[in-house]
Amino acid sequence: MADLDYQYIASLVERTKNNDSDAFAELYVATYQRQYYFAYNYLRDEYLAQDALQEAYILVLKNIFSLKDSSLFISWLNQITFRICFNMQKKQKKLSEEMVDYDPEYLRSQKYRGIEPEEYIIQVDQKEFIIRQVLSLPFTESQIIILRYYNNMKLKEIASLLDMSLSSVKRYLASGRKKLNLLIER
């Protein structure tokens, strides 16, 4: 993926704030591929990724005036895309878990795998507790932990996706894990 010209992006943001629709179209073209790559890797579904980006760019257009520093547009867009993807994935998982979690046949089948239905429900509650703790971490740390452990991405992929160095990813991951351990031990 080609590197973005942040100064050019900032100028497009300023033009968009001045109601230049061509500037927004250009901003969209300049950033879409990278955002799609992120959304697709996160959601693992091309249609969900397209839906996520449609929602993201609508939010960007509605809220671009709230962005005070135009040079931070890419970070802002990354956060919007991440939150939308996270929420979409959460809804998808919740929907599929609702279909399975309390299905009597599925719960009976767990008993034969050595898991009592009550224990299985407790495990589901524990997973929900952990994800709430992950989301309470600073944004970058929670984003990296989710990409690494919930999406099974490699550190190099995360670094490329978030446009940061591998050492920064490792540092955020270590810091996030340390904070997460403290939160869970409480």
Side-chain angles (χ1 to χ4, degrees):
M1 259 183 263
D3 287 338
L4 294 172
D5 181 352
Y6 292 97
Q7 193 172 14
Y8 178 66
I9 297 289
S11 71
L12 290 175
V13 170
E14 287 303 315
R15 287 177 37 208
T16 301
K17 286 180 178 181
N18 291 323
N19 297 318
D20 182 347
S21 60
D22 290 338
F24 183 75
E26 216 171 316
L27 196 58
Y28 174 86
V29 169
T31 58
Y32 184 85
Q33 274 308 115
R34 188 177 293 248
Q35 295 303 309
Y36 178 79
Y37 177 73
F38 173 82
Y40 179 77
N41 278 302
Y42 193 96
L43 297 168
R44 305 280 185 208
D45 181 306
E46 65 181 281
Y47 299 111
L48 281 178
Q50 290 170 0
D51 288 347
L53 290 186
Q54 181 177 2
E55 193 174 327
Y57 282 100
I58 288 170
L59 279 173
V60 165
L61 191 56
K62 283 183 179 178
N63 297 301
I64 198 156
F65 297 102
S66 67
L67 181 63
K68 293 183 181 13
D69 186 352
S70 297
S71 65
L72 298 176
F73 176 78
I74 297 298
S75 297
W76 183 63
L77 177 60
N78 288 343
Q79 287 183 6
I80 290 170
T81 304
F82 172 76
R83 287 289 175 201
I84 289 170
C85 289
F86 178 79
N87 289 336
M88 287 179 100
Q89 186 180 53
K90 193 167 140 183
K91 285 178 191 172
Q92 289 293 107
K93 279 186 180 178
K94 188 172 185 175
L95 188 63
S96 64
E97 285 173 0
E98 283 174 0
M99 303 298 275
V100 170
D101 280 348
Y102 304 104
D103 177 20
E105 288 300 316
Y106 183 75
L107 291 175
R108 276 194 285 282
S109 73
Q110 294 304 307
K111 186 173 184 176
Y112 296 113
R113 291 185 180 161
I115 300 174
E116 292 293 324
E118 295 83 12
E119 185 181 328
Y120 180 74
I121 300 301
I122 290 170
Q123 287 176 0
V124 169
D125 287 342
Q126 288 172 337
K127 287 178 186 174
E128 288 176 7
F129 170 76
I130 291 172
I131 195 63
R132 281 194 307 272
Q133 300 310 312
V134 169
L135 290 175
S136 72
L137 295 172
F139 179 76
T140 305
E141 291 171 0
S142 72
Q143 187 178 31
I144 289 172
I145 286 174
I146 288 169
L147 291 172
R148 177 71 179 113
Y149 297 110
Y150 288 86
N151 290 41
N152 297 319
M153 291 181 72
K154 295 178 179 162
L155 296 179
K156 286 183 181 180
E157 291 175 325
I158 295 170
S160 172
L161 196 60
L162 299 179
D163 198 24
M164 63 174 59
S165 69
L166 183 59
S167 63
S168 293
V169 170
K170 288 178 182 178
R171 189 175 61 251
Y172 281 120
L173 184 61
S175 172
R177 287 177 60 183
K178 188 175 183 179
K179 290 174 186 173
L180 187 59
N181 283 334
L182 291 174
L183 287 171
I184 291 173
E185 289 174 0
R186 282 186 192 173

